[in-house]
Amino acid sequence: MVTEADSPSEDIDWRSDASAAEMSRRDQLEELYERLIYEPAVVAWSDTRTRLGIVILSVYVLMALVEVFGLWRNPDPNQAEQFLKPFQNWAYPLGTTKSGVDLLALIIDSTPFILLMVLAGGVWATGVAVVVGTVSGYKGGRVDTVITSVSDFFMAIPGLPLVIILAITLSPENPILLGVILTINYWAGLGRSIRSQVLSIREASYVEAARTMGTSTPRIILKDVLPNIMPYVMVNFVLAARYTIFASVGLYFIGVLPYTGQNWGVTLNNAYNSGALFGMETLYWLLVPMLSIVGLAFGLILVSQGMDRIFNPRVRTRLTGESESVEESENETSTEAWV
Amino acid sequence: MNYYLRRMARIPLTVLAVATFTFGLIRLLPGGPFTQLRIQLIRRGVPVEQVNARIEALQNIRPDAPLWQQYLDYLVGLAQLDLGRSISLNQPVMDVLARALPWTVFLVVTSTVLMFVIGVLIGSVQAYWEGSRFDQLTSGGSIFLMSVPYYIFAVILLFFLGFQWNVFPTGDAVARGVEAGLNLAYITSVLRHAALPIIAFTIGGIGSTALNMRGNGIQVLGEEYVEVARLRGLSDGRIATQYVAKNAILPMYTGLLLLIGFRLGGTVVLEQIFSYPGLGYYLIQAVNANDYPLMMGCFLVITVTLVVAVCIADLTYGLIDPRISAGDSDGY
């Protein structure tokens, strides 16, 4: 599986070298498409887990599109008979709640909100972590000391309690703001591990060569350092996204975040508080929002696991039977996965 | 020794920084707790001229004093372990938190240790027989476990073992009327009440621990020194414990620092579901009752617990891995 993936990625280097000379804008765009979209897609598709993950994630994107274009009814009370079980009436495939709301409509209705929030959380957490980690790792010295102390401080603050306090003072209702608040101090830990990776890359000979040639710091960080930590960043993007889902649904579930209409956590909370916990008959009402959460997280993790396998030199060398030693930084690949 | 001293010295500094931050949250956020407290007291029918005095009694802060004075008042209060008075429970916040803290620490420590041990065992078996049927099954299982948040396990456990089959109690930390002390009745009651939250919190973390250990184990097994140890004819048991396990677990142990933080924060949802009277439970109680002194107290105590826990992990790491005690404070 992975050896297959090797060849296209070697192609990339070869072609981008050759194409640097003279090309029309159209060729350049095509080249960019090949390199940034087509090739990674082929690599990703070659791993069964990534493939399954992508399929699952597309279902959620599809649900979001259905909601955006209004292809399914909106959730309303008394739109159907109460406590309809799933798969009984195909007009309401997932059944209905105590007040006769179509459960599928509830789930679809909040998909765009959740996806936006998850994206915002992931981008914020990894974005800040990358900036902080690369700058403090590469610059070193006083900059590093300051950044490290600040992130140490943020690491010392427990995430969810802080989010709860911020949520009651700010009452975030915008999904993007909410995503950012949920991962408000997530970057600290991630930034620290990116920093330690950058520390070792910084000593690499080609970076040193670039430095002696007088290349500017931002350019070195962008061209030489970033590509090396990109796989790690991608994997952690997914983990940050997962954390955002878990945290948001959990906080909606216990009723701390402000209700902005219905969403999976609110549905779970309603089911829980309406006594769905006490009887087998209404268990589906709890299970439907749970499955939507687990499905999304499962899709994300499958994609990240597949990516990890494709990018991870440790696993690759082991598979091709070489005994090349791998840098210690690889150990940290999944530290964040522990949340 | 220098390293330990420096590390210990950071605790009070961090606590001070966090206390300042908490003070900022209380005092400076627009429409924040302080203003709300005032509105709430007026709504409760406290005469306007008494409101300031009441706030002072509740929060240990004189609302009409200059900011620096308020900050000093707050710090002096903290230094005397006085966090003000809870509005909803009408008790000193410190008393409430002193009762709650041990339960939270009990949950987090027990479940983290269990999670670590079980995850490491599964992961090392996976790594050793990489690619076997067991490896494939448990890897798939681990990925699935990673995608289920712990509160879903909590709700499902509560549904079946708590409400449907009545095997375990569904709330509180100990049965009413059981005398506290080192007697059998008390201990079993505590264990029975803690069982579900601990199981839920443990299962949620096993998947990622196992995957982590698997990755590290595979890497270590491929290292040359393991091969050399085999060639030297060392016993399998010695290779497994001294060479493979030690080197595979070390990097994970540093991950514990982050993990403890996330898990301490995570008890908020967990304790709420099981009505388990720990810090997280009171935090939510305080949020729902607009009880700002209690809320801030919970936040502060959770943070201090985290700072101390991380410090302990840091210091013990130095004991396990001698390279750290050389003074490399950012060795992870």
Side-chain angles (χ1 to χ4, degrees), chain A residues 186-249:
Chain A
Y186 191 94
W187 57 268
L190 184 54
R192 279 298 285 266
S193 44
I194 289 180
R195 172 181 169 273
S196 59
Q197 303 214 358
V198 173
L199 279 179
S200 66
I201 295 173
R202 182 185 164 196
E203 304 302 324
S205 50
Y206 59 89
V207 177
E208 220 160 302
R211 216 171 11 234
T212 16
M213 277 158 59
T215 317
S216 71
T217 309
R219 203 179 151 78
I220 294 182
I221 290 185
L222 273 181
K223 292 278 171 185
D224 297 323
V225 176
L226 265 188
N228 278 298
I229 56 168
M230 226 36 212
Y232 179 74
V233 171
M234 301 264 275
V235 170
N236 276 287
F237 173 82
V238 168
L239 294 173
R242 181 188 76 135
Y243 174 78
T244 319
I245 313 174
F246 284 11
S248 67
V249 173

Side-chain angles (χ1 to χ4, degrees), chain A:
Chain A
M1 257 185 314
V2 175
T3 31
E4 268 175 72
D6 271 342
S7 36
S9 61
E10 276 160 21
D11 272 0
I12 305 171
D13 291 340
W14 166 73
R15 266 196 245 167
S16 52
D17 267 356
S19 65
E22 265 176 64
M23 280 176 107
S24 72
R25 165 151 273 157
R26 191 194 157 82
D27 281 345
Q28 277 184 342
L29 279 179
E30 264 175 25
E31 183 68 41
L32 217 60
Y33 163 79
E34 285 267 300
R35 197 160 54 98
L36 292 180
I37 299 169
Y38 180 72
E39 303 282 7
V42 169
V43 174
W45 197 251
S46 66
D47 187 288
T48 330
R49 282 176 296 182
T50 337
R51 208 181 306 163
L52 183 59
I54 291 174
V55 170
I56 294 178
L57 292 185
S58 345
V59 172
Y60 283 88
V61 174
L62 204 71
M63 274 164 44
L65 289 178
V66 165
E67 168 59 22
V68 170
F69 292 110
L71 299 177
W72 190 261
R73 65 176 83 86
N74 279 328
D76 278 312
N78 297 321
Q79 58 189 179
E81 73 182 280
Q82 298 173 356
F83 287 128
L84 195 65
K85 290 212 170 192
F87 313 121
Q88 307 269 315
N89 179 344
W90 286 103
Y92 307 95
L94 294 182
T96 58
T97 69
K98 184 175 153 194
S99 46
V101 184
D102 179 12
L103 263 178
L104 180 61
L106 274 180
I107 299 300
I108 290 182
D109 190 51
S110 42
T111 314
F113 182 93
I114 302 248
L115 289 188
L116 262 182
M117 179 190 71
V118 165
L119 197 66
V123 169
W124 163 263
T126 38
V128 178
V130 165
V131 172
V132 165
T134 46
V135 170
S136 96
Y138 185 77
K139 285 294 249 185
R142 195 168 294 163
V143 178
D144 182 34
T145 317
V146 171
I147 293 182
T148 314
S149 332
V150 172
S151 52
D152 268 355
F153 168 68
F154 277 98
M155 266 168 77
I157 301 177
L160 282 187
L162 175 66
V163 172
I164 291 173
I165 306 253
L166 287 180
I168 34 173
T169 36
L170 301 176
S171 331
E173 298 196 346
N174 176 312
I176 295 176
L177 179 64
L178 183 59
V180 170
I181 289 184
L182 284 168
T183 50
I184 193 94
N185 71 341
Y186 191 94
W187 57 268
L190 184 54
R192 279 298 285 266
S193 44
I194 289 180
R195 172 181 169 273
S196 59
Q197 303 214 358
V198 173
L199 279 179
S200 66
I201 295 173
R202 182 185 164 196
E203 304 302 324
S205 50
Y206 59 89
V207 177
E208 220 160 302
R211 216 171 11 234
T212 16
M213 277 158 59
T215 317
S216 71
T217 309
R219 203 179 151 78
I220 294 182
I221 290 185
L222 273 181
K223 292 278 171 185
D224 297 323
V225 176
L226 265 188
N228 278 298
I229 56 168
M230 226 36 212
Y232 179 74
V233 171
M234 301 264 275
V235 170
N236 276 287
F237 173 82
V238 168
L239 294 173
R242 181 188 76 135
Y243 174 78
T244 319
I245 313 174
F246 284 11
S248 67
V249 173
L251 293 184
Y252 273 118
F253 176 43
I254 59 173
V256 177
L257 290 178
Y259 283 11
T260 43
Q262 289 286 345
N263 75 49
W264 305 342
V266 176
T267 311
L268 198 58
N269 176 299
N270 284 343
Y272 191 82
N273 289 333
S274 314
L277 207 54
F278 303 115
M280 277 298 199
E281 300 76 40
T282 46
L283 184 62
Y284 71 92
W285 189 8
L286 280 173
L287 287 182
V288 168
M290 283 180 180
L291 283 178
S292 356
I293 303 155
V294 172
L296 183 55
F298 192 53
L300 284 170
I301 290 168
L302 279 177
V303 170
S304 91
Q305 284 288 324
M307 284 194 303
D308 193 33
R309 196 182 179 87
I310 290 166
F311 291 126
N312 197 336
R314 176 178 78 212
V315 181
R316 222 157 46 182
T317 33
R318 166 91 170 169
L319 280 172
T320 48
E322 292 169 35
S323 66
E324 204 177 296
S325 69
V326 187
E327 326 92 277
E328 204 177 308
S329 54
E330 281 302 329
N331 293 337
E332 286 178 75
T333 307
S334 27
T335 306
E336 298 290 315
W338 265 18
V339 181

Side-chain angles (χ1 to χ4, degrees), chain B residues 213-279:
Chain B
M213 182 63 193
R214 177 177 180 274
N216 292 343
I218 289 176
Q219 187 194 356
V220 172
L221 281 171
E223 297 282 351
E224 274 155 21
Y225 57 77
V226 177
E227 204 56 36
V228 171
R230 271 204 195 104
L231 292 175
R232 279 170 64 202
L234 297 182
S235 72
D236 280 350
R238 182 140 175 224
I239 294 176
T241 52
Q242 294 289 303
Y243 288 72
V244 181
K246 197 173 172 192
N247 286 295
I249 292 174
L250 267 182
M252 292 176 60
Y253 190 76
T254 49
L256 269 179
L257 310 187
L258 280 175
L259 190 65
I260 291 170
F262 280 113
R263 288 175 79 81
L264 258 176
T267 55
V268 175
V269 180
L270 189 77
E271 288 172 358
Q272 192 62 25
I273 293 174
F274 290 105
S275 315
Y276 198 82
L279 292 174

